[in-house]
């Protein structure tokens, strides 16, 4: 079945440093979604990417979808303590997947130290 | 809108006991989901539903049952609780072709 892996598993940064998490799927994705989960909280939707090579920005966050639609990345510029949490990518099952069986990545836990 | 609500927030069960985790949404979403998240891990899909009266298995359905008699409610039933079912359970819903809204979760411990 489809597997979605993320690296790194953990990342500790000093406040103000940049952070990147990478997401790799074993199959081509019709779209990819990113979620953030604060400690003790629930996943919150951040963004969805659909097109090959797509790049979207949300303030200090930059999301990219690979040309082959099998990988994606999330980059945070100048991290802040409010960025602490686990970031998950998620992709539907296969090319025609409508998101019914969204497969979540393993997640990258970000800790930001002052 | 209250969004996606889950009850209870916390529960401790003894091995072999049964319980139902409640999930409700007031956004008229057709699609609803149950996930479990083990400590430090990602989310595994247990069951999902694409509308009232329609349910289907996810990755890890064993030991669980669901029903969807209304658009609003999607309860998850544990019949014979086992320690392996200790986890945080998240319910989610979404409209067609949109991202999921997650509930606050139910933390279940089976001793």
């Amino acid at each position: 079945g489809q597997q979605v892996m993320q690296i790194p598993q953990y990342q500790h940064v000093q406040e103000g440093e940049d952070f990147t998490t990478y997401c790799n799927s074993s199959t081509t994705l019709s779209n990819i979604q990113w979620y953030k989960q604060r400690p003790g909280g629930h996943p919150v939707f951040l963004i969805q990417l659909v097109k090959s090579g797509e790049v979207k920005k949300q303030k200090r966050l930059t999301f990219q979808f690979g040309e082959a639609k099998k990988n994606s990345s999330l980059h945070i510029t100048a991290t802040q303590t409010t960025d602490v949490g686990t970031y998950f990518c998620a992709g539907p099952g296969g090319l025609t997947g409508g998101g019914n069986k969204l497969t979540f990545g393993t997640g990258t836990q970000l800790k930001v130290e002052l | 809108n209250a969004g996606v609500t889950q009850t209870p927030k916390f529960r401790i069960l003894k091995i072999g006991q049964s319980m139902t985790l409640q999930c409700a949404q007031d956004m008229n979403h057709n699609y609803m989901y149950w996930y479990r998240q083990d400590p430090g891990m990602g989310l595994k899909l247990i069951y999902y539903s694409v509308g009232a009266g329609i349910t289907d298995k996810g990755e890890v359905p064993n030991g669980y049952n669901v029903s969807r008699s209304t658009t609003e409610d999607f309860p998850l039933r544990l019949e014979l609780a086992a320690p392996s079912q200790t986890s945080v359970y998240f319910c989610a819903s979404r409209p067609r072709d949109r991202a999921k809204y997650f509930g606050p979760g139910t933390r279940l411990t089976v001793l």
Side-chain angles (χ1 to χ4, degrees):
Chain A
Q2 180 191 42
Q3 292 186 334
V4 181
M5 302 299 293
Q6 281 183 254
I7 55 171
Q9 189 175 3
Y10 303 98
Q11 185 83 58
H12 289 207
V13 299
Q14 295 288 321
E15 189 177 41
E17 291 182 338
D18 292 354
F19 160 77
T20 304
T21 174
Y22 300 91
C23 176
N24 295 291
S25 171
S26 60
T27 60
T28 304
L29 301 169
S30 58
N31 66 77
I32 194 158
Q33 299 173 9
W34 284 91
Y35 292 79
K36 176 183 178 182
Q37 184 177 24
R38 294 183 185 274
H42 60 275
V44 174
F45 173 74
L46 294 176
I47 208 161
Q48 176 171 289
L49 305 172
V50 178
K51 299 177 183 177
S52 169
E54 188 171 12
V55 178
K56 286 188 177 180
K57 292 189 176 184
Q58 289 180 350
K59 297 182 180 179
R60 295 178 293 102
L61 278 62
T62 302
F63 304 84
Q64 289 189 318
F65 201 8
E67 294 289 341
K69 302 183 77 172
K70 294 182 72 173
N71 56 71
S72 181
S73 66
L74 158 59
H75 179 82
I76 302 177
T77 302
T79 55
Q80 300 175 358
T81 54
T82 54
D83 296 323
V84 165
T86 301
Y87 293 85
F88 292 98
C89 62
L95 268 175
T96 58
N100 288 351
K101 286 191 176 183
L102 204 65
T103 299
F104 278 79
T106 46
T108 295
Q109 184 178 343
L110 173 65
K111 292 190 176 181
V112 180
E113 298 173 357
L114 293 171
Chain B
N1 287 349
V4 180
T5 58
Q6 291 183 240
T7 55
K9 291 185 178 179
F10 304 92
R11 184 72 186 267
I12 298 175
L13 282 181
K14 293 183 179 179
I15 294 172
Q17 286 186 320
S18 301
M19 77 164 293
T20 299
L21 283 67
Q22 301 291 344
C23 174
Q25 52 93 9
D26 61 358
M27 297 173 282
N28 201 33
H29 291 170
N30 283 329
Y31 299 82
M32 294 189 75
Y33 305 80
W34 274 106
Y35 289 89
R36 61 175 287 172
Q37 185 177 34
D38 298 332
M41 304 293 285
L43 294 102
K44 299 288 187 183
L45 180 64
I46 306 171
Y47 271 96
Y48 68 98
S49 169
V50 300
I54 306 169
T55 62
D56 206 350
K57 297 177 180 179
E59 298 175 72
V60 290
N62 291 345
Y64 307 94
N65 277 301
V66 293
S67 59
R68 185 92 183 273
S69 56
T70 66
T71 299
E72 294 77 21
D73 300 298
F74 191 40
L76 177 71
R77 179 81 178 162
L78 283 71
E79 290 295 346
L80 292 169
S84 61
Q85 293 178 305
T86 294
S87 190
V88 179
Y89 291 83
F90 290 103
C91 178
S93 73
R94 70 172 178 92
R96 184 179 175 82
D97 295 331
R98 290 289 185 269
K100 293 184 172 70
Y101 294 82
F102 282 82
T106 294
R107 298 179 188 278
L108 175 67
T109 302
V110 181
L111 300 174

